[in-house]
């Protein structure tokens, strides 16, 4: 069972500066969609990803994507930009 917000089922669009980010995978973070260190076990460790230039990203919130942490359209949303 996914700990992602399956009620949402929509990608989270964010414009991020270059850097390393950690997508929360446990749902306990107070800084969603990013990890704040609240996870209590190794079962749902955050997903690290890097952004090399300022750009818009679409983070998966349904848990169905094959390209975590990014939305791949499995939710039915067509991302075209
Ligand atoms: S939000 Fe999960 S695949 Fe789009």
């Amino acid at each position: 069972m996914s700990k992602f917000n399956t009620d949402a089922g929509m990608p989270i669009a964010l414009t991020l500066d270059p850097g390393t980010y950690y997508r929360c995978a446990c749902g306990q973070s107070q800084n969603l969609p990013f990890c704040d260190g609240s996870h209590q076990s190794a079962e749902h460790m955050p997903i690290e990803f890097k952004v090399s230039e300022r750009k818009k990203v679409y983070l998966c919130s349904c848990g169905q994507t094959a390209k975590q942490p990014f939305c791949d359209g499995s939710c039915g949303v067509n991302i075209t930009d």
Side-chain angles (χ1 to χ4, degrees):
M1 184 171 116
S2 171
K3 288 286 188 177
F4 290 102
N5 183 0
T6 54
D7 291 336
M10 299 284 290
I12 301 165
L14 298 169
T15 300
L16 298 176
D17 289 320
T20 301
Y21 297 88
Y22 297 88
R23 170 69 162 105
C24 173
C26 74
Q28 301 301 310
S29 175
Q30 297 300 307
N31 188 35
L32 290 171
F34 301 108
C35 175
D36 71 354
S38 294
H39 49 275
Q40 297 296 309
S41 73
E43 186 179 352
H44 297 291
M45 294 299 288
I47 302 164
E48 179 183 324
F49 67 99
K50 297 178 188 304
V51 174
S52 59
E53 61 187 38
R54 182 176 172 80
K55 68 177 182 179
K56 192 172 195 175
V57 300
Y58 296 89
L59 299 180
C60 174
S61 69
C62 76
Q64 302 303 309
T65 184
K67 297 182 177 179
Q68 287 286 5
F70 303 107
C71 174
D72 69 356
S74 295
C75 57
V77 174
N78 184 15
I79 298 169
T80 57
D81 63 342

